[in-house]
Amino acid sequence: ILKLDFYEPTGDTETARPLIILAHGGSFIGGTKMDYDMEYMCKAFALKGYACASINYRLGLPLDSLKAIDAVARAVQDMKASVRFFNKDSRDGTNTYKIDTNRIFVGGSSAGAITALHVAYLDKSCELEYYMSPATIATLGGIEGNSGHPCYSSKVSGVINLCGALARYGWMEAGDVPLVSLHGDADATVKYNRGQVNPGIPLLYLDGSRMIDAQAQAVSVESDFYTFYGAPHVPYNGTDATSLAYMDTTMKFVNDFLVKTMGCTETPTQAANAPAGTVNLYAFTPC
């Protein structure tokens, strides 16, 4: 059974809060919904008036690239099921969580960000066929999966990408939902540009936040991008002063994106900066 932790403002009387669904990191083999950075962000966003959910997803043993593909696919299915869970409760349930289902954002840190990016931009079975056979995809339950609440929507309004990556940058297309990304340009685990993911074992080559933002600009998808110059992987995940400073920047930049995306008018609190280095978008032909 997959579970989530739900956060909302204390004594809340609103009946339609925007929802942020976050997924933890851990290379798809570890981590939980109670990881420090997930709890911190959920509590902080609840204090700002959002409803938040920190989810668990199925973990595996991706000791090679083939198993890693399966692990990502399962996590994507599980996050989509969490979106459907809230849609079901809102539309045909008891409205326990009082969610505005037109304002559901997904995000996460590291593996969780990889998951959220694929929830939003991996939207064709033929894209997944680049990595696995149609028969294998069918066995896994297709893009939507069998994690629960079928027939309800898994569409989202935007993505919060913290040190994540996409398998293929070209899966983002014109008309896709907007995103906000923060990533260290010295990240050795999930590369800032294109590179091999390496959490201790070399795995897949993925297109990092620098590539994704460049593609967003090319196809006119709204993208807010902040570079942590010289920073390693997930520099905001800690309780020391440096980590907390990175987290403060992260919270401000993400909140500015959410406020803007929802059409609200507030003065931005964290300006974007220039991406580091150059990016080369390799030739890509959509399926």
Side-chain angles (χ1 to χ4, degrees):
I1 298 176
L2 296 171
K3 295 185 177 181
L4 59 83
D5 290 339
F6 183 73
Y7 300 75
E8 62 183 341
T10 299
D12 196 16
T13 59
E14 292 293 331
T15 58
R17 292 279 184 189
L19 172 67
I20 301 170
I21 300 175
L22 295 176
H24 62 82
S27 304
F28 298 101
I29 60 175
T32 77
K33 57 186 172 61
M34 295 178 288
D35 282 0
Y36 171 77
D37 54 346
M38 296 295 98
E39 282 197 340
Y40 186 102
M41 285 188 278
C42 284
K43 290 178 180 178
F45 278 121
L47 287 170
K48 292 179 181 293
Y50 299 90
C52 294
S54 179
I55 67 169
N56 275 343
Y57 51 89
R58 285 171 288 173
L59 301 176
L61 295 173
L63 300 179
D64 57 42
S65 291
L66 290 177
K67 292 179 182 177
I69 294 168
D70 290 348
V72 174
R74 291 195 304 266
V76 169
Q77 293 169 344
D78 295 345
M79 178 172 266
K80 286 190 171 188
S82 73
V83 176
R84 296 195 298 267
F85 169 79
F86 284 104
N87 270 302
K88 179 181 180 181
D89 175 74
S90 175
R91 299 181 188 280
D92 296 318
T94 57
N95 195 28
T96 302
Y97 303 99
K98 303 173 184 177
I99 300 304
D100 181 350
T101 56
N102 294 312
R103 292 178 173 179
I104 297 179
F105 299 87
V106 292
S109 178
S110 188
I114 292 172
T115 300
L117 286 164
H118 287 83
V119 165
Y121 305 121
L122 172 60
D123 53 7
K124 302 181 182 72
S125 291
C126 60
E127 294 170 339
L128 194 54
E129 287 171 15
Y130 182 84
Y131 292 97
M132 58 180 65
S133 70
T136 300
I137 296 171
T139 299
L140 290 173
I143 292 178
E144 289 296 315
N146 300 314
S147 298
H149 320 295
C151 304
Y152 291 89
S153 174
S154 61
K155 298 295 183 183
V156 299
S157 298
V159 181
I160 301 168
N161 163 34
L162 307 180
C163 305
L166 259 177
R168 306 279 278 176
Y169 78 86
W171 289 351
M172 176 186 284
E173 300 174 295
D176 279 344
V177 297
L179 79 158
V180 57
S181 304
L182 295 96
H183 207 137
D185 64 345
D187 193 331
T189 303
V190 180
K191 305 302 188 293
Y192 175 76
N193 217 308
R194 177 170 173 79
Q196 193 172 26
V197 174
N198 191 337
I201 300 172
L203 297 173
L204 301 170
Y205 278 86
L206 299 182
D207 297 336
S209 301
R210 179 73 171 92
M211 297 277 287
I212 297 168
D213 179 67
Q215 171 68 356
Q217 307 304 327
V219 298
S220 299
V221 168
E222 183 179 346
S223 173
D224 291 352
F225 184 32
Y226 190 93
T227 298
F228 294 127
Y229 298 132
H233 193 51
V234 295
Y236 45 79
N237 191 12
T239 58
D240 59 282
T242 300
S243 298
L244 290 173
Y246 279 120
M247 178 61 85
D248 183 65
T249 298
T250 299
M251 290 298 303
K252 289 177 178 177
F253 196 70
V254 171
N255 189 63
D256 287 347
F257 162 80
L258 294 171
V259 167
K260 178 181 65 175
T261 301
M262 292 188 294
C264 303
T265 53
E266 289 184 12
T267 303
T269 57
Q270 180 64 59
N273 57 9
T278 59
V279 63
N280 295 311
L281 299 180
Y282 54 84
F284 180 83
T285 302
C287 63

